[in-house]
Amino acid sequence: MPENEPTAVPDNGREALRADCTNCFALCCVALTLTASSDFAIDKDAGRPCPNLQDDFRCGIHTRLRPKGFSGCTVYDCFGAGQKVSQETYGGRDWRSSPDLAAQMFQVFPVMRQLHELLWYLTEALTLPAARPLYPELRRALEATERHTARPAVDFAELDVAGHRDRVAGLLLRTSELVRATVPRRKKRDHRGADLMGARLRGADLRGADLRGAYLIAADLTGADLRLADLIGADFRDADLSGADLTGSLFLTQAQLNAAKGNARTAISASLSRPSHWADRDPSGSAGSTGSNTTEP
């Protein structure tokens, strides 16, 4: 494939970057710290199994996480790092049957998760025609990240993941600038890292806006136009996206959608799934125009 040709990613593609809990040893339920809050009902130290975790590595309250006070679990996305660590890095050995590997496994998992998140963004960037001048650099960054994910477990401690992430972040920013520049009559909308918590943005024209890392917690984005907006790292917890148009928005993840409110009129790209809890908020019961697949977060 020529270096300046886009990488075709089918709507159901990037499967290796989607969480597959059936092939993971519940690493997110053990390796991560939980802090009692509106997201989690309990405090839990890293390395200690969640009390809801069963012997078969399944969650005992999976279908009741939200009412039980564990909405944070429904939002979390490992980008496929769980099954990667479980089945490839450790060859199917789990932390219960191989307790000598547990501590190391729990350290590798969050690093792998960061690498898989970068793979998600880089893969998306390589589908964007406006980013064509950057395709060679994007492909090299993708290949370097893939090599990091294939490291032996003992080598992860030596990986400068923060440095690698910074290098990729700069490349993704340049990608974003090229794509957003294609928005016709685009006004300069720089809200990078902005505090927009509870902001009233109903019906706002945010096409091509820079919302990287913006705090949009509980913001009213009903009917807003977010096409080609850069949403990498934006905090959408409890933001209302009902009727909003997010088709073609840049670097949007499933975790961000799962954290937000929406309905069947919320337009999303086909690579993402409509959270099942959105259906409860839709008065019409009609199907959305895009991204109609649902997911049980």
Side-chain angles (χ1 to χ4, degrees):
M1 177 186 295
E3 281 197 323
N4 285 78
E5 286 301 312
T7 300
V9 179
D11 290 347
N12 63 347
R14 298 195 280 194
E15 289 305 315
L17 303 178
R18 301 181 194 277
D20 178 6
C21 297
T22 62
N23 283 302
C24 175
F25 299 125
L27 295 181
C28 64
C29 304
V30 187
L32 307 181
T33 299
L34 304 185
T35 302
S37 62
S38 59
D39 294 325
F40 300 104
I42 61 170
D43 288 317
K44 186 192 79 65
D45 294 332
R48 181 167 66 88
C50 174
N52 298 310
L53 184 63
Q54 302 178 137
D55 292 341
D56 61 355
F57 299 108
R58 300 292 173 261
C59 175
I61 61 169
H62 178 70
T63 60
R64 296 171 287 130
L65 283 167
R66 287 179 180 273
K68 287 291 186 178
F70 289 86
S71 62
C73 296
T74 71
V75 171
Y76 182 78
D77 186 359
C78 75
F79 294 95
Q83 67 261 26
K84 175 77 171 185
V85 172
S86 298
Q87 302 301 330
E88 296 187 33
T89 309
Y90 286 92
R93 291 172 294 174
D94 68 80
W95 49 271
R96 278 184 171 141
S97 61
S98 302
D100 55 312
L101 297 176
Q104 183 190 68
M105 190 178 296
F106 300 155
Q107 292 174 349
V108 169
F109 171 65
V111 176
M112 186 72 79
R113 194 263 181 198
Q114 291 187 63
L115 294 172
H116 270 227
E117 183 180 5
L118 294 179
L119 288 176
W120 179 273
Y121 297 141
L122 288 165
T123 301
E124 177 181 335
L126 281 164
T127 69
L128 303 171
R132 188 181 301 274
L134 297 178
Y135 283 173
E137 290 180 73
L138 288 165
R139 283 205 174 91
R140 286 194 292 272
L142 180 72
E143 291 164 0
T145 306
E146 288 176 333
R147 286 195 297 272
H148 288 320
T149 69
R151 285 172 173 244
V154 294
D155 289 352
F156 272 78
E158 302 173 0
L159 175 60
D160 179 12
V161 68
H164 181 67
R165 192 178 184 96
D166 286 344
R167 288 188 290 274
V168 173
L171 185 55
L172 294 175
L173 177 58
R174 290 162 59 200
T175 298
S176 169
E177 290 169 345
L178 285 175
V179 175
R180 291 184 295 110
T182 66
V183 176
R185 298 183 299 279
R186 178 174 69 99
K187 299 177 183 177
K188 184 174 177 60
R189 302 183 180 96
D190 185 358
H191 303 294
R192 186 175 184 181
D195 182 353
L196 297 171
M197 291 189 287
R200 297 177 181 178
L201 297 167
R202 179 182 291 260
D205 180 1
L206 293 168
R207 288 174 299 167
D210 184 353
L211 289 162
R212 296 166 67 91
Y215 295 94
L216 289 156
I217 301 170
D220 182 3
L221 288 157
T222 304
D225 189 345
L226 290 155
R227 289 175 295 171
L228 294 184
D230 187 342
L231 303 178
I232 195 167
D235 192 337
F236 281 103
R237 282 178 293 170
D238 290 323
D240 194 344
L241 296 172
S242 299
D245 190 349
L246 294 98
T247 52
S249 57
L250 302 177
F251 310 127
L252 179 65
T253 67
Q254 190 64 51
Q256 288 171 298
L257 288 182
N258 291 348
K261 301 173 183 178
N263 62 12
R265 291 177 284 106
T266 306
I268 59 176
S269 297
S271 61
L272 299 167
S273 298
R274 190 177 307 280
S276 61
H277 68 276
W278 286 11
D280 298 333
R281 305 184 66 254
D282 179 48
S284 67
S286 60
S289 59
T290 59
S292 58
N293 292 335
T294 59
T295 182
E296 177 62 44

